Amino acid sequence: MGDPLEQLKSRLTDLHGLGDIAFLLGWDQRTIMPPAGTGHRAQHLALLQRLAHEKLTDPEIGRLLSEIDAGSLDPDSDDAGLVRLAQRTYDKAVQVPVALRGEMALASAEANPVWVRAKETSDFAMFLEPLERNVELRHRYVECFEPQEEPYDVLLDDFEPEMKTADVSLIFDEIKAELVPLIAALRDREVDDSFLVGHFPLDRQLALDHEVVDMFGHRPDTWRIDPTEHPFASGAGIDDIRITTHYYEDSLKSLFSTMHEYGHGLYEHQIPRRFAHLPIGTGCSLGLHESQSRMWENLVGRSLPFWRFFYPRLQEAFPEQLRGVEVERFYAAVNRVQPSLIRIRADEVTYGMHVILRFELEQDIVNGRVELRDLPLRWNEKMNDYLGVEVPDDANGVLQDTHWASGLIGYFSTYLLGTVMSVQIWEKAMEDIPDLEDRIERGDFTALREWLGDHVHALGRKYTPEETLRRIVGTGIDAKPYLAYLKRKYGAAVTA
Amino acid sequence: MGDPLEQLKSRLTDLHGLGDIAFLLGWDQRTIMPPAGTGHRAQHLALLQRLAHEKLTDPEIGRLLSEIDAGSLDPDSDDAGLVRLAQRTYDKAVQVPVALRGEMALASAEANPVWVRAKETSDFAMFLEPLERNVELRHRYVECFEPQEEPYDVLLDDFEPEMKTADVSLIFDEIKAELVPLIAALRDREVDDSFLVGHFPLDRQLALDHEVVDMFGHRPDTWRIDPTEHPFASGAGIDDIRITTHYYEDSLKSLFSTMHEYGHGLYEHQIPRRFAHLPIGTGCSLGLHESQSRMWENLVGRSLPFWRFFYPRLQEAFPEQLRGVEVERFYAAVNRVQPSLIRIRADEVTYGMHVILRFELEQDIVNGRVELRDLPLRWNEKMNDYLGVEVPDDANGVLQDTHWASGLIGYFSTYLLGTVMSVQIWEKAMEDIPDLEDRIERGDFTALREWLGDHVHALGRKYTPEETLRRIVGTGIDAKPYLAYLKRKYGAAVTA
């Protein structure tokens, strides 16, 4: 039968291929599928998921893994990384009965349309029963594994492998202690952003989005940008990267959203070709993925050097809106700090508190410290405590995000972990490329793109997120650079 | 383990699902994929094909089939149709070694780009070696089966199940005997079609294509029309139908091509929902599929009643081109008979000879009656004999179609068989809907669409093509109605 490592690779190539195919089907569904195709698509995605699960949990995978002498492999080799990942993924997957996975998938599929209706009518009570079902199934899921210090660890591990609840709590508590007073200090500053609301013709936004993505850079004939309801990045391989955006005729949000998705897309685009067909050939974790998207959106896209370069193009595209607005005023406006209700519309400073709120509530849910029917109340209290905003209704509160409807408990913290890591990685890039800001001000993004390729993307999923970060920046996750960045940027430059 | 029939259905549902997913990937590749994605896509399609082959030839399918008491099923039931089809497909599939299938797929994949270059440079010699390889592999494929009266029967059967070479020869000889003199009589008729060449703005063509498809009719939110290089119809289920077209700024070809693909799309769209997820839930054969596309393109789309209704809309869309051109002149122009070099651009009368030429050459190839290096010579001789045209180069001759590069030997005849059946089915529809032409002249396509749904599409793939046709029209395939139609239409009306 040949070398067990080669046999393993062959099986894992199929597994990864099924994932890529599912990405394409998901992309199609969310961009261009005839709406009535939903029924077929759900069946096809369920089929792919089932086939992938069968491939992953095939006892032959376990046998091959046991036959491979992992100790004899160079621990930094692709093969060693693949075997580590495969062992870890296999060991987790075989703990969970197929029937429970099916129940979880079904419960999510059933909860989602109920959540859509509940949000539309701002009626949390309608959503309570499917939410209870999702939570109950997560409890059963947690019970499949060895007892952990925190049951929430099991859930978190699915999104940020080997990250522990206690570690996240430490980081988030440190952030909270600094953010709450920072927000209080910034919230009443006068910043004129009136020119960001108005009429921005869609065709010019579309052209600018393409211009930005081409300017940031990628190989030719490999990317698409398409409109969608909720933006995401996807792709069916390193040469087939698809990012999406949502256009608003009355604002420039799409531009920042496109830069965000560019960061996700670039991560997958720059995965080394030699292992792109294997499970190590993708972003390392949700957190590290978010570090890439937040970097392009915020550290590049909301920086003064970037706008010194690109603002004339923007003025040219929207002369009615931006004539007479200097770049410093524009920069201040796109960085205005204003506590608000909705996470995905939050500025850089308040964003973290939206995530911390959800992280805390999720632990209360999993540990039974909150009755689910009391969630809106608890949500609203925290919004008031952390951001000083009154929640007018559940559509703008506890019902705003889709994650819990999809059973994704443990996911939210990766948004803020990624943001924290984005600053750590950015500062390391600045060390290695001392004139990085000058380059950006000249419209030269090559050095940054290549540095990310060599130092971040080249590692794929060969190591755990913690080890990956350590190899990039030399230390573990650390909130201090992020907090210092916020204080530096929002203590001074914004008021320029 | 439960009822063997239910188990079989479950496995065949997966098999059909993999086919639908592959259709979607193929559609994406040919419409909107970033060009560099070709490499990934080939791997993903190969993976889906391999998984489908494994599912189909799983010995468990054979065991389940042997356990099902097919004799106890109502022969007209869906279940009986499914078991017949599964048995037939399984029996064929297990004859062919996986290694040979792999070699065939690889040889096709390798031959295709060579053919593209050979066609571009009109250099048949360049294509000779990959063509020889494809032919050699077809000989090995034929040898996998019980000896047939004609080896070509094995190949034909893959495209038009249970059709025999001898039967096709009889039909085609009958057609040839009538067409050659008909073409000779029509070729020198003066028909003014100068107004069909000019400037037809793409946006208006696109709007008209949508208008036609919506007017012919379908369920809401279920269809897409997209531009592509070589038009085709595809879909990922009865509620997700995707047709494509190629726009030419200087002609109206796209409109007829869209009507053609509408016919293919409608066939899949009207497959009964109760078995749409199973292998019987698709068009019966390539020939019957073509009967549907040719019907909408020619019997509807090139008819005088249709243009009496729709011509004012066309004139409104292209006033510069069509002002002052009466509907009868327009009708004569779109039905102009003119022997030409390229099959896909041929008119209704000469089209058949292009197919017959290929059918005859393919048999000579398979029976070794022609040296492959002499193919261009033999092609050019036949073009001269049958259509009276001189072939200037191989790009406009033997290299024009992609089929042989893809190893598709036995496919071509289905185009003409379908055209023949389209007239038989049309005449049956006219019997059942006596005012059909009046309805079309009023822009009412509902009766025809529903009749096709009830009499053709409702049968799916439950029966062989011959039995399917017999159930629709009461007889087997017969060229006489087709020949009578051509003589009636082209002997009189065209010269109106």
Side-chain angles (χ1 to χ4, degrees), chain A residues 49 100-116 127 130-131 133-135 137-138 402-409:
Chain A
Q49 200 175 17
L100 177 57
R101 288 209 182 265
E103 281 183 84
M104 288 164 71
L106 185 65
S108 301
E110 287 174 351
N112 245 302
V114 180
W115 166 74
V116 170
F127 181 53
L131 178 62
R133 175 86 180 127
N134 274 345
V135 170
L137 287 166
R138 263 64 207 169
T402 180
H403 302 62
W404 293 342
S406 304
L408 301 173
I409 298 177

mmCIF file of all heavy atoms in Angstrom, chain A residues 49 100-116 127 130-131 133-135 137-138 402-409:
data_model
loop_
_atom_site.group_PDB
_atom_site.id
_atom_site.type_symbol
_atom_site.label_atom_id
_atom_site.label_comp_id
_atom_site.label_asym_id
_atom_site.label_seq_id
_atom_site.Cartn_x
_atom_site.Cartn_y
_atom_site.Cartn_z
ATOM 1 N N GLN A 49 -20.359 18.150 3.580
ATOM 2 C CA GLN A 49 -19.938 18.097 4.972
ATOM 3 C C GLN A 49 -19.899 16.647 5.463
ATOM 4 O O GLN A 49 -18.964 16.233 6.146
ATOM 5 C CB GLN A 49 -20.938 18.912 5.803
ATOM 6 C CG GLN A 49 -20.395 19.338 7.146
ATOM 7 C CD GLN A 49 -21.370 20.249 7.880
ATOM 8 O OE1 GLN A 49 -22.559 20.313 7.544
ATOM 9 N NE2 GLN A 49 -20.868 20.955 8.877
ATOM 10 N N LEU A 100 -24.851 13.230 16.789
ATOM 11 C CA LEU A 100 -24.855 14.540 17.456
ATOM 12 C C LEU A 100 -24.481 15.644 16.464
ATOM 13 O O LEU A 100 -25.099 16.707 16.439
ATOM 14 C CB LEU A 100 -23.885 14.533 18.647
ATOM 15 C CG LEU A 100 -23.745 15.865 19.388
ATOM 16 C CD1 LEU A 100 -25.092 16.378 19.900
ATOM 17 C CD2 LEU A 100 -22.746 15.748 20.546
ATOM 18 N N ARG A 101 -23.484 15.377 15.623
ATOM 19 C CA ARG A 101 -23.125 16.370 14.588
ATOM 20 C C ARG A 101 -24.328 16.685 13.708
ATOM 21 O O ARG A 101 -24.563 17.831 13.350
ATOM 22 C CB ARG A 101 -21.997 15.846 13.701
ATOM 23 C CG ARG A 101 -20.678 15.807 14.406
ATOM 24 C CD ARG A 101 -19.507 15.975 13.440
ATOM 25 N NE ARG A 101 -18.273 15.884 14.190
ATOM 26 C CZ ARG A 101 -17.605 16.919 14.671
ATOM 27 N NH1 ARG A 101 -18.028 18.148 14.452
ATOM 28 N NH2 ARG A 101 -16.511 16.758 15.371
ATOM 29 N N GLY A 102 -25.055 15.627 13.345
ATOM 30 C CA GLY A 102 -26.246 15.823 12.507
ATOM 31 C C GLY A 102 -27.273 16.681 13.226
ATOM 32 O O GLY A 102 -27.840 17.614 12.640
ATOM 33 N N GLU A 103 -27.495 16.392 14.535
ATOM 34 C CA GLU A 103 -28.469 17.180 15.306
ATOM 35 C C GLU A 103 -28.040 18.636 15.385
ATOM 36 O O GLU A 103 -28.865 19.553 15.294
ATOM 37 C CB GLU A 103 -28.583 16.620 16.731
ATOM 38 C CG GLU A 103 -29.445 15.382 16.848
ATOM 39 C CD GLU A 103 -29.567 14.939 18.309
ATOM 40 O OE1 GLU A 103 -30.432 15.489 19.019
ATOM 41 O OE2 GLU A 103 -28.775 14.070 18.741
ATOM 42 N N MET A 104 -26.729 18.863 15.572
ATOM 43 C CA MET A 104 -26.222 20.236 15.660
ATOM 44 C C MET A 104 -26.435 20.983 14.348
ATOM 45 O O MET A 104 -26.873 22.141 14.322
ATOM 46 C CB MET A 104 -24.738 20.230 16.043
ATOM 47 C CG MET A 104 -24.504 19.837 17.503
ATOM 48 S SD MET A 104 -22.767 19.367 17.864
ATOM 49 C CE MET A 104 -21.953 20.943 17.744
ATOM 50 N N ALA A 105 -26.133 20.303 13.233
ATOM 51 C CA ALA A 105 -26.297 20.946 11.920
ATOM 52 C C ALA A 105 -27.772 21.259 11.671
ATOM 53 O O ALA A 105 -28.124 22.347 11.207
ATOM 54 C CB ALA A 105 -25.747 20.041 10.822
ATOM 55 N N LEU A 106 -28.627 20.303 12.022
ATOM 56 C CA LEU A 106 -30.060 20.486 11.808
ATOM 57 C C LEU A 106 -30.595 21.627 12.674
ATOM 58 O O LEU A 106 -31.337 22.497 12.198
ATOM 59 C CB LEU A 106 -30.790 19.181 12.136
ATOM 60 C CG LEU A 106 -32.298 19.168 11.853
ATOM 61 C CD1 LEU A 106 -32.556 19.293 10.359
ATOM 62 C CD2 LEU A 106 -32.937 17.890 12.398
ATOM 63 N N ALA A 107 -30.196 21.648 13.936
ATOM 64 C CA ALA A 107 -30.682 22.689 14.852
ATOM 65 C C ALA A 107 -30.253 24.073 14.374
ATOM 66 O O ALA A 107 -31.032 25.031 14.441
ATOM 67 C CB ALA A 107 -30.168 22.426 16.263
ATOM 68 N N SER A 108 -29.017 24.187 13.865
ATOM 69 C CA SER A 108 -28.556 25.480 13.333
ATOM 70 C C SER A 108 -29.385 25.875 12.116
ATOM 71 O O SER A 108 -29.801 27.028 11.984
ATOM 72 C CB SER A 108 -27.084 25.395 12.920
ATOM 73 O OG SER A 108 -26.296 25.040 14.013
ATOM 74 N N ALA A 109 -29.572 24.906 11.229
ATOM 75 C CA ALA A 109 -30.326 25.199 10.005
ATOM 76 C C ALA A 109 -31.739 25.645 10.350
ATOM 77 O O ALA A 109 -32.294 26.541 9.710
ATOM 78 C CB ALA A 109 -30.355 23.970 9.100
ATOM 79 N N GLU A 110 -32.326 25.021 11.389
ATOM 80 C CA GLU A 110 -33.695 25.383 11.768
ATOM 81 C C GLU A 110 -33.740 26.706 12.528
ATOM 82 O O GLU A 110 -34.705 27.462 12.425
ATOM 83 C CB GLU A 110 -34.321 24.263 12.608
ATOM 84 C CG GLU A 110 -34.664 23.044 11.758
ATOM 85 C CD GLU A 110 -35.144 21.853 12.580
ATOM 86 O OE1 GLU A 110 -35.053 21.903 13.830
ATOM 87 O OE2 GLU A 110 -35.587 20.873 11.963
ATOM 88 N N ALA A 111 -32.693 26.983 13.298
ATOM 89 C CA ALA A 111 -32.688 28.208 14.113
ATOM 90 C C ALA A 111 -32.509 29.458 13.247
ATOM 91 O O ALA A 111 -33.049 30.519 13.563
ATOM 92 C CB ALA A 111 -31.583 28.133 15.162
ATOM 93 N N ASN A 112 -31.770 29.321 12.172
ATOM 94 C CA ASN A 112 -31.424 30.507 11.399
ATOM 95 C C ASN A 112 -32.621 31.293 10.865
ATOM 96 O O ASN A 112 -32.703 32.497 11.082
ATOM 97 C CB ASN A 112 -30.450 30.137 10.276
ATOM 98 C CG ASN A 112 -29.116 30.811 10.486
ATOM 99 O OD1 ASN A 112 -29.057 32.037 10.566
ATOM 100 N ND2 ASN A 112 -28.057 30.028 10.615
ATOM 101 N N PRO A 113 -33.551 30.639 10.158
ATOM 102 C CA PRO A 113 -34.707 31.417 9.678
ATOM 103 C C PRO A 113 -35.554 31.989 10.821
ATOM 104 O O PRO A 113 -36.145 33.064 10.671
ATOM 105 C CB PRO A 113 -35.497 30.413 8.835
ATOM 106 C CG PRO A 113 -34.930 29.064 9.145
ATOM 107 C CD PRO A 113 -33.546 29.269 9.643
ATOM 108 N N VAL A 114 -35.599 31.287 11.961
ATOM 109 C CA VAL A 114 -36.349 31.822 13.107
ATOM 110 C C VAL A 114 -35.672 33.092 13.604
ATOM 111 O O VAL A 114 -36.330 34.099 13.898
ATOM 112 C CB VAL A 114 -36.435 30.781 14.248
ATOM 113 C CG1 VAL A 114 -37.220 31.365 15.429
ATOM 114 C CG2 VAL A 114 -37.073 29.490 13.762
ATOM 115 N N TRP A 115 -34.350 33.062 13.673
ATOM 116 C CA TRP A 115 -33.602 34.251 14.085
ATOM 117 C C TRP A 115 -33.856 35.421 13.128
ATOM 118 O O TRP A 115 -34.055 36.562 13.564
ATOM 119 C CB TRP A 115 -32.099 33.937 14.147
ATOM 120 C CG TRP A 115 -31.253 35.175 14.237
ATOM 121 C CD1 TRP A 115 -31.092 35.979 15.327
ATOM 122 C CD2 TRP A 115 -30.488 35.762 13.177
ATOM 123 N NE1 TRP A 115 -30.270 37.034 15.022
ATOM 124 C CE2 TRP A 115 -29.884 36.930 13.708
ATOM 125 C CE3 TRP A 115 -30.250 35.429 11.844
ATOM 126 C CZ2 TRP A 115 -29.051 37.749 12.929
ATOM 127 C CZ3 TRP A 115 -29.436 36.227 11.082
ATOM 128 C CH2 TRP A 115 -28.843 37.382 11.618
ATOM 129 N N VAL A 116 -33.871 35.127 11.809
ATOM 130 C CA VAL A 116 -34.123 36.189 10.833
ATOM 131 C C VAL A 116 -35.462 36.861 11.120
ATOM 132 O O VAL A 116 -35.559 38.088 11.190
ATOM 133 C CB VAL A 116 -34.073 35.632 9.384
ATOM 134 C CG1 VAL A 116 -34.586 36.668 8.390
ATOM 135 C CG2 VAL A 116 -32.657 35.181 9.037
ATOM 136 N N PHE A 127 -37.172 33.679 19.421
ATOM 137 C CA PHE A 127 -35.886 33.031 19.184
ATOM 138 C C PHE A 127 -35.461 32.144 20.363
ATOM 139 O O PHE A 127 -34.528 31.348 20.245
ATOM 140 C CB PHE A 127 -34.832 34.121 18.923
ATOM 141 C CG PHE A 127 -33.442 33.634 18.641
ATOM 142 C CD1 PHE A 127 -33.197 32.691 17.637
ATOM 143 C CD2 PHE A 127 -32.358 34.101 19.376
ATOM 144 C CE1 PHE A 127 -31.904 32.244 17.372
ATOM 145 C CE2 PHE A 127 -31.061 33.659 19.109
ATOM 146 C CZ PHE A 127 -30.842 32.729 18.115
ATOM 147 N N PRO A 130 -35.293 27.974 19.822
ATOM 148 C CA PRO A 130 -34.148 27.478 19.036
ATOM 149 C C PRO A 130 -32.797 27.788 19.691
ATOM 150 O O PRO A 130 -31.856 27.006 19.566
ATOM 151 C CB PRO A 130 -34.276 28.182 17.686
ATOM 152 C CG PRO A 130 -35.382 29.159 17.812
ATOM 153 C CD PRO A 130 -36.179 28.818 19.008
ATOM 154 N N LEU A 131 -32.710 28.899 20.395
ATOM 155 C CA LEU A 131 -31.452 29.216 21.081
ATOM 156 C C LEU A 131 -31.197 28.192 22.195
ATOM 157 O O LEU A 131 -30.074 27.694 22.358
ATOM 158 C CB LEU A 131 -31.514 30.640 21.652
ATOM 159 C CG LEU A 131 -30.282 31.089 22.437
ATOM 160 C CD1 LEU A 131 -29.036 31.092 21.550
ATOM 161 C CD2 LEU A 131 -30.491 32.489 23.040
ATOM 162 N N ARG A 133 -32.200 25.186 22.280
ATOM 163 C CA ARG A 133 -31.816 23.930 21.628
ATOM 164 C C ARG A 133 -30.332 23.970 21.246
ATOM 165 O O ARG A 133 -29.600 23.006 21.499
ATOM 166 C CB ARG A 133 -32.696 23.740 20.388
ATOM 167 C CG ARG A 133 -32.356 22.550 19.536
ATOM 168 C CD ARG A 133 -33.046 21.299 20.048
ATOM 169 N NE ARG A 133 -32.703 20.159 19.206
ATOM 170 C CZ ARG A 133 -32.209 19.012 19.660
ATOM 171 N NH1 ARG A 133 -31.994 18.836 20.952
ATOM 172 N NH2 ARG A 133 -31.922 18.031 18.842
ATOM 173 N N ASN A 134 -29.885 25.066 20.640
ATOM 174 C CA ASN A 134 -28.470 25.185 20.270
ATOM 175 C C ASN A 134 -27.567 25.088 21.505
ATOM 176 O O ASN A 134 -26.527 24.426 21.471
ATOM 177 C CB ASN A 134 -28.213 26.517 19.545
ATOM 178 C CG ASN A 134 -28.489 26.428 18.054
ATOM 179 O OD1 ASN A 134 -28.599 25.332 17.502
ATOM 180 N ND2 ASN A 134 -28.596 27.567 17.390
ATOM 181 N N VAL A 135 -27.968 25.736 22.579
ATOM 182 C CA VAL A 135 -27.143 25.722 23.795
ATOM 183 C C VAL A 135 -27.109 24.313 24.388
ATOM 184 O O VAL A 135 -26.043 23.805 24.774
ATOM 185 C CB VAL A 135 -27.666 26.754 24.820
ATOM 186 C CG1 VAL A 135 -26.976 26.578 26.160
ATOM 187 C CG2 VAL A 135 -27.449 28.172 24.284
ATOM 188 N N LEU A 137 -27.411 21.526 22.845
ATOM 189 C CA LEU A 137 -26.550 20.673 22.010
ATOM 190 C C LEU A 137 -25.072 20.983 22.267
ATOM 191 O O LEU A 137 -24.232 20.078 22.194
ATOM 192 C CB LEU A 137 -26.903 20.853 20.537
ATOM 193 C CG LEU A 137 -28.228 20.208 20.132
ATOM 194 C CD1 LEU A 137 -28.681 20.711 18.758
ATOM 195 C CD2 LEU A 137 -28.090 18.679 20.106
ATOM 196 N N ARG A 138 -24.732 22.251 22.555
ATOM 197 C CA ARG A 138 -23.327 22.581 22.881
ATOM 198 C C ARG A 138 -22.922 21.932 24.196
ATOM 199 O O ARG A 138 -21.781 21.514 24.346
ATOM 200 C CB ARG A 138 -23.119 24.102 22.955
ATOM 201 C CG ARG A 138 -22.558 24.706 21.674
ATOM 202 C CD ARG A 138 -23.462 24.551 20.577
ATOM 203 N NE ARG A 138 -22.999 24.490 19.228
ATOM 204 C CZ ARG A 138 -23.824 24.119 18.240
ATOM 205 N NH1 ARG A 138 -25.066 23.759 18.489
ATOM 206 N NH2 ARG A 138 -23.394 24.064 17.002
ATOM 207 N N THR A 402 -25.683 36.891 13.872
ATOM 208 C CA THR A 402 -26.212 35.585 13.465
ATOM 209 C C THR A 402 -25.572 34.416 14.197
ATOM 210 O O THR A 402 -26.091 33.303 14.173
ATOM 211 C CB THR A 402 -26.001 35.405 11.948
ATOM 212 O OG1 THR A 402 -26.508 34.128 11.557
ATOM 213 C CG2 THR A 402 -24.520 35.436 11.574
ATOM 214 N N HIS A 403 -24.440 34.658 14.875
ATOM 215 C CA HIS A 403 -23.620 33.537 15.365
ATOM 216 C C HIS A 403 -24.381 32.540 16.240
ATOM 217 O O HIS A 403 -24.272 31.339 16.060
ATOM 218 C CB HIS A 403 -22.414 34.069 16.135
ATOM 219 C CG HIS A 403 -21.540 34.980 15.329
ATOM 220 N ND1 HIS A 403 -21.995 36.176 14.804
ATOM 221 C CD2 HIS A 403 -20.235 34.874 14.944
ATOM 222 C CE1 HIS A 403 -21.010 36.766 14.135
ATOM 223 N NE2 HIS A 403 -19.937 35.999 14.204
ATOM 224 N N TRP A 404 -25.127 33.046 17.227
ATOM 225 C CA TRP A 404 -25.789 32.118 18.157
ATOM 226 C C TRP A 404 -26.872 31.305 17.446
ATOM 227 O O TRP A 404 -27.126 30.160 17.815
ATOM 228 C CB TRP A 404 -26.350 32.881 19.365
ATOM 229 C CG TRP A 404 -25.253 33.473 20.223
ATOM 230 C CD1 TRP A 404 -23.936 33.105 20.217
ATOM 231 C CD2 TRP A 404 -25.368 34.519 21.190
ATOM 232 N NE1 TRP A 404 -23.219 33.862 21.115
ATOM 233 C CE2 TRP A 404 -24.076 34.744 21.739
ATOM 234 C CE3 TRP A 404 -26.432 35.295 21.665
ATOM 235 C CZ2 TRP A 404 -23.831 35.707 22.727
ATOM 236 C CZ3 TRP A 404 -26.178 36.249 22.649
ATOM 237 C CH2 TRP A 404 -24.895 36.445 23.175
ATOM 238 N N ALA A 405 -27.497 31.918 16.441
ATOM 239 C CA ALA A 405 -28.488 31.168 15.672
ATOM 240 C C ALA A 405 -27.823 30.011 14.938
ATOM 241 O O ALA A 405 -28.400 28.943 14.758
ATOM 242 C CB ALA A 405 -29.190 32.084 14.676
ATOM 243 N N SER A 406 -26.577 30.239 14.514
ATOM 244 C CA SER A 406 -25.846 29.195 13.804
ATOM 245 C C SER A 406 -25.124 28.246 14.771
ATOM 246 O O SER A 406 -24.347 27.406 14.328
ATOM 247 C CB SER A 406 -24.815 29.838 12.869
ATOM 248 O OG SER A 406 -25.453 30.736 11.991
ATOM 249 N N GLY A 407 -25.359 28.416 16.057
ATOM 250 C CA GLY A 407 -24.712 27.542 17.036
ATOM 251 C C GLY A 407 -23.251 27.882 17.270
ATOM 252 O O GLY A 407 -22.524 27.111 17.898
ATOM 253 N N LEU A 408 -22.798 29.026 16.761
ATOM 254 C CA LEU A 408 -21.379 29.383 16.878
ATOM 255 C C LEU A 408 -21.128 30.075 18.220
ATOM 256 O O LEU A 408 -21.047 31.303 18.293
ATOM 257 C CB LEU A 408 -20.960 30.279 15.716
ATOM 258 C CG LEU A 408 -21.138 29.671 14.320
ATOM 259 C CD1 LEU A 408 -20.843 30.705 13.243
ATOM 260 C CD2 LEU A 408 -20.219 28.464 14.146
ATOM 261 N N ILE A 409 -21.000 29.285 19.257
ATOM 262 C CA ILE A 409 -20.679 29.831 20.579
ATOM 263 C C ILE A 409 -19.185 29.598 20.800
ATOM 264 O O ILE A 409 -18.709 28.460 20.707
ATOM 265 C CB ILE A 409 -21.537 29.159 21.668
ATOM 266 C CG1 ILE A 409 -23.016 29.460 21.387
ATOM 267 C CG2 ILE A 409 -21.124 29.644 23.055
ATOM 268 C CD1 ILE A 409 -23.980 28.788 22.346
#
